[in-house]
């Protein structure tokens, strides 16, 4: 069995120990470890405590994320947009106050605790008045103790629209702002354009400067193309550039998915495999962890993996869709997550509507989701479960690609982390950076 052992600087007389077999970090008192028999002692302790406990953590009264689509209007025409250019195939509109009232009544009567409410579109800033109205309603429910916790508010925007009215609302409710920006100008402006075909990069960066000055810019969401690999541009290059430019510390990297009828087949050439990503320096785990320890900047996927190595519990479910996450469209329709609003899923996985909520219909679709999302017995016995996860919508759309993802995570994440530690990345630096962030 392979172990990495380092002293803690945060906790006196404690050791951090990483087990390659279990992909798990544990802490032990220094005095309990005798260097002469450290391997046998750790073998015993990890066998006893190192295995993951798989829990059915579905709680009907608590939910991590509710996405509210406040607008299906969009001022852009991104060539790879899975939302059918923001409309989700529906007539362009913004959410009404009547529907907003019913949405807030629905979520606050069904959940005692809502961790995050995310405003989405279309372009959500085209409905900034609706965002303010919904936040007002939620705040009133919280003050009356109808919900036990005040949600964190978040918005995902294309970043092209910003004015004083928008800034006022963002500040008032401390709304965390994630901007979609696809790396560097030349490639970004090839795919993320206004409806007249003009590039959006310069306008977005100008608005990001304003958001950043007002401490509102918290993350960047980037689609990573084959073009970047062909130009030897890594995800780390993108992270370093925007960390230095804006001080951004959280990045979300997405792939292009072309399994939608209105997406140009020519975009298939921009799809990136996991082997493609690993083919260039800067997409390796060691480099990205080193940058995280130095700067605190990290991408969500890597952060999630590192956090999971420090936990002894894993969910029985592959992703949050349906059981710990919902999306509610501007017409009040309820779905497992916002990807399920697309034409591939929206009829089969419609969970109901906030106007005429049918508990039986809701639970019928929820049970279907939970069954498809449940980890198999094979998954539960897998020692690589810490590096495992899948998008349920992707799995339902393209089972082959999801299986490839499983193989990648199995062979790469756990092994790459161990090799990074063996080759000089500090285990102490990883653990204490996670604790500090």
């Amino acid at each position: 069995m392979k172990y990495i052992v380092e002293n803690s600087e945060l906790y006196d007389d404690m050791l951090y120990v990483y087990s390659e077999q279990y992909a798990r970090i544990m802490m032990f008192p220094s005095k309990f470890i005798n260097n002469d028999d450290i391997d046998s002692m750790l073998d015993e302790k990890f066998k006893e405590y190192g295995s993951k406990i798989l829990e059915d953590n579905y709680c009907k009264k608590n939910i991590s994320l509710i996405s509210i689509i406040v607008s299906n209007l969009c001022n852009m025409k991104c060539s790879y947009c899975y939302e059918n250019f923001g409309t989700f195939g529906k007539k362009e509109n913004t959410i009404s106050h009547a529907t907003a009232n019913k949405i807030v009544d629905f979520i606050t009567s069904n959940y005692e605790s809502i961790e995050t409410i995310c405003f989405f579109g279309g372009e959500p800033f085209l409905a900034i008045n609706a965002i303010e109205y919904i936040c007002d309603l939620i705040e009133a429910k919280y003050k009356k103790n109808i919900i036990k916790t005040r949600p964190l508010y978040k918005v995902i925007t294309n970043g092209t629209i910003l004015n004083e009215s928008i800034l006022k609302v963002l500040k008032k409710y401390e709304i965390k702002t994630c901007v979609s920006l696809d790396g560097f100008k030349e490639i970004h402006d090839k795919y993320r354009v206004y409806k007249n075909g003009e590039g959006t990069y310069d306008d977005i960066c100008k608005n990001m400067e304003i958001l950043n000055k007002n401490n509102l810019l918290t993350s960047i969401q980037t689609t990573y193309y084959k073009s970047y690999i062909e130009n030897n541009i890594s995800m780390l290059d993108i992270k370093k550039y925007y960390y230095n430019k804006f001080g951004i510390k959280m990045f979300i990297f997405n792939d292009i998915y072309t399994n939608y009828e209105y997406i140009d087949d020519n975009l298939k050439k921009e799809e990136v495999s996991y082997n493609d990503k690993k083919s260039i320096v800067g997409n390796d785990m060691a480099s990205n962890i080193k940058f995280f320890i130095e700067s605190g900047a990290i991408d969500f996927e890597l952060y999630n993996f590192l956090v999971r190595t420090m936990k002894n519990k894993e969910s029985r479910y592959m992703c949050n869709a349906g059981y710990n996450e919902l999306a509610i469209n501007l017409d009040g329709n309820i779905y497992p997550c916002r990807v399920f609003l697309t034409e591939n899923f929206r009829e089969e996985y419609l969970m109901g509507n906030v106007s005429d909520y049918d508990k039986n219909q809701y639970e019928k679709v929820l049970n279907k989701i939970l069954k498809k999302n449940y980890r198999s017995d094979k998954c539960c016995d897998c020692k690589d479960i810490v590096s495992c996860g899948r998008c349920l919508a992707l799995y339902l759309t393209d089972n082959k690609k999801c299986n490839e993802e499983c193989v990648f995570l199995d062979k790469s994440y756990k092994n790459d982390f161990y090799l990074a530690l063996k080759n000089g990345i500090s285990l102490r630096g990883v653990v204490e950076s996670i604790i500090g962030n």
Side-chain angles (χ1 to χ4, degrees), residues 60 106 110 334 348 350-353 356-369:
K60 291 185 177 181
F106 168 79
N110 282 280
I334 307 164
E348 184 177 357
L350 173 63
M351 303 178 78
N353 188 283
D356 54 353
Y357 173 59
D358 182 341
K359 186 176 181 180
N360 291 331
Q361 169 67 10
Y362 183 90
E363 292 188 349
K364 178 182 176 181
V365 178
L366 177 60
N367 289 333
K368 183 177 180 178
I369 285 285

Side-chain angles (χ1 to χ4, degrees), residues 224 226-234 237 279-282:
Y224 191 67
K226 191 73 168 282
S227 295
Y228 279 118
I229 291 171
E230 291 170 350
N231 286 279
N232 203 34
I233 297 171
S234 69
D237 293 327
S279 68
I280 63 171
V281 174

Side-chain angles (χ1 to χ4, degrees), residues 314-333:
E314 283 287 329
S315 171
R316 277 277 181 177
Y317 303 103
M318 283 289 204
C319 84
N320 285 340
Y323 92 94
N324 207 14
E325 175 179 350
L326 291 177
I328 306 178
N329 202 3
L330 53 87
D331 58 6
N333 281 346

Side-chain angles (χ1 to χ4, degrees), residues 185-196:
K185 179 179 172 66
E186 182 179 350
I187 296 177
H188 172 100
D189 278 349
K190 186 177 179 180
Y191 297 115
R192 296 189 62 83
V193 297
Y194 289 115
K195 289 186 176 180
N196 63 7

Side-chain angles (χ1 to χ4, degrees), residues 377-395:
D377 290 341
K378 181 179 178 181
C379 292
C380 295
D381 292 335
C382 179
K383 294 297 185 184
D384 299 307
I385 197 168
V386 69
S387 58
C388 177
R390 74 178 181 205
C391 167
L392 181 60
L394 173 60
Y395 174 74

